[in-house]
């Protein structure tokens, strides 16, 4: 079983559109959307949900107003300023609460409950390209790295059950916790970037993270023709660091038109960029099995 994750140093590079095309081209795979804070792969793949489960992580403090005596001890002890006065009693501001449990431990009236926190939902679905696991964190919720790890585990179990050979992941942008979790047990990271100074900088950061975890890197430059100078700079960086330059994709409105139709660029009528994406996938497949 092989695992490929498509990532980028920042959002908006075309990572999800490229992942959708790879999902169309790949055989014997499980598709996995690991961008749990702002998932969008489902917009192109239109999944039918088979299983829907709550993601429970951590705890949240809740003050019972009937038991609260209004002493204010909890507010004075909360280092996150997450407790506000509400008339004669106090209440928790959930977006500021870190779940440290200090208020629960020291409340003289034992008026604060500490139930598990419902942070989001995760799903197992079927798409026209095959099975897919994905999730959605609620706004402001944390533990995205834990949820990503859970999705990867579910994808691997699903692949083993069905005898599938590839896990294809749409990773989160940046270099934070969800990306670090995405790189665990990954055979190849496909980094999508753009030929701009910030694109080069973000490529260097995320590729350095891959190097830290000893994950092989393939680079796809999207809209390479908009800035040939920066494209050459990316090519030189790949040569210096030993990264595979998998594709130089031009700016093409066909990608946007396919997105509006909720299709991958490789679906429907062939276009010049669809041919280039197909070649990019062949390069990535060869690299994956080398």
């Amino acid at each position: 079983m092989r695992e490929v994750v498509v990532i980028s140093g920042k959002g908006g590079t075309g990572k999800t559109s490229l992942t959708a095309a790879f999902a169309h081209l790949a055989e014997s795979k499980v598709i996995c959307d690991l961008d749990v804070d702002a998932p969008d792969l489902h917009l192109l793949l239109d999944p039918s949900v088979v299983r829907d489960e709550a993601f429970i992580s951590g705890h949240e403090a809740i003050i019972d107003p009937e038991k609260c005596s209004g002493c204010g001890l909890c507010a004075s002890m909360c280092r996150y300023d997450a407790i506000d006065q509400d008339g004669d009693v106090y209440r928790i501001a959930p977006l500021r609460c870190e779940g440290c449990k200090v208020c629960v431990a020291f409340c003289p009236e034992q008026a604060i409950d500490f139930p598990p926190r419902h942070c989001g939902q995760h799903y197992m679905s079927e798409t026209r390209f095959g099975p897919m696991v994905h999730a959605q964190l609620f706004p402001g919720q944390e533990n995205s790295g834990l949820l990503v790890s859970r999705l990867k585990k579910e994808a691997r179990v699903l692949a083993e059950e069905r005898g599938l050979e590839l896990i294809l992941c749409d990773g989160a942008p940046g270099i934070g916790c969800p990306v670090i979790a995405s790189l665990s047990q990954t055979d190849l990271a496909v980094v999508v970037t753009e030929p701009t100074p910030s694109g080069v900088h973000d490529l260097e950061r995320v590729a350095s993270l891959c190097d830290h975890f000893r994950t092989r890197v393939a680079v796809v430059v999207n809209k390479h023709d908009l800035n040939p100078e920066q494209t050459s700079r990316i090519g030189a960086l790949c040569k210096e660091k030993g990264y595979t330059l998998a594709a130089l994709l031009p700016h093409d409105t066909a990608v946007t038109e396919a997105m509006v139709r909720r299709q991958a660029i490789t679906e429907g009528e062939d276009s010049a960029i669809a041919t280039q994406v197909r070649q990019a996938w062949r390069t990535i497949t060869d690299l994956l099995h080398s």
Side-chain angles (χ1 to χ4, degrees):
M1 188 186 303
R2 297 286 191 271
E3 185 172 325
V4 175
V5 60
V6 184
I7 54 178
S8 60
K10 68 178 187 67
T13 61
K15 171 177 58 63
T16 297
S17 294
L18 199 59
T19 304
F22 292 164
H24 174 230
L25 298 172
E27 299 179 354
S28 186
K29 79 283 182 179
V30 174
I31 307 161
C32 192
D33 190 350
L34 301 180
D35 188 2
V36 296
D37 290 293
D40 54 5
L41 186 59
H42 64 281
L43 298 176
L44 297 179
L45 302 193
D46 194 24
S48 298
V49 176
V50 175
R51 186 176 70 245
D52 179 355
E53 297 182 13
F55 173 58
I56 306 297
S57 180
H59 295 77
E60 58 181 334
I62 300 176
I63 296 177
D64 185 347
E66 298 297 325
K67 296 180 180 179
C68 179
S69 64
C71 68
L73 180 62
C74 56
S76 65
M77 299 189 72
C78 180
R79 63 180 299 180
Y80 301 106
D81 195 27
I83 302 177
D84 302 320
Q85 190 166 7
D86 185 14
D88 295 331
V89 296
Y90 286 81
R91 62 179 178 84
I92 306 290
L95 292 181
R96 299 199 299 271
C97 178
E98 293 290 331
C100 68
K101 204 179 178 180
V102 167
C103 60
V104 178
F106 287 92
C107 177
E109 306 297 332
Q110 297 185 345
I112 306 177
D113 296 325
F114 201 54
R117 187 191 297 268
H118 183 194
C119 297
Q121 298 291 123
H122 58 106
Y123 313 93
M124 198 285 282
S125 301
E126 295 290 342
T127 75
R128 62 188 183 278
F129 299 150
M132 175 179 177
V133 293
H134 52 120
Q136 171 72 73
L137 277 179
F138 296 147
Q141 297 298 332
E142 298 181 352
N143 294 317
S144 56
L146 177 61
L147 181 53
V148 165
S149 296
R150 184 168 299 180
L151 288 179
K152 283 169 65 72
K153 182 178 180 180
E154 291 182 0
R156 188 164 290 272
V157 169
L158 183 60
E160 290 175 350
E161 289 176 349
R162 300 195 183 187
L164 304 177
E165 299 175 356
L166 176 67
I167 299 174
L168 177 63
C169 303
D170 183 14
I175 58 171
C177 289
V179 180
I180 292 172
S182 298
L183 292 174
S184 173
Q185 294 184 303
T186 295
D187 296 286
L188 178 66
V190 179
V191 182
V192 185
T193 188
E194 293 176 330
T196 63
S198 62
V200 176
H201 173 264
D202 293 332
L203 167 62
E204 291 174 331
R205 291 201 312 161
V206 73
S208 176
L209 182 66
C210 294
D211 290 342
H212 176 78
F213 289 103
R214 300 180 181 179
T215 301
R216 289 189 296 172
V217 174
V219 177
V220 173
V221 183
N222 195 17
K223 304 176 185 177
H224 78 93
D225 48 340
L226 297 185
N227 194 329
E229 180 181 350
Q230 293 297 331
T231 298
S232 297
R233 183 180 171 189
I234 293 172
L237 174 66
C238 291
K239 185 175 181 180
E240 176 189 350
K241 297 291 187 179
Y243 307 144
T244 299
L245 187 57
L248 299 176
L249 302 180
H251 180 267
D252 195 326
T253 57
V255 177
T256 305
E257 293 165 2
M259 188 188 309
V260 171
R261 296 193 303 269
R262 300 183 69 178
Q263 291 183 328
I265 185 59
T266 50
E267 291 184 271
E269 297 181 3
D270 279 340
S271 61
I273 191 168
T275 300
Q276 290 172 294
V277 171
R278 291 176 188 274
Q279 179 57 52
W281 178 245
R282 285 193 289 269
T283 300
I284 290 167
T285 302
D286 292 342
L287 182 63
L288 189 63
H289 293 92
S290 63

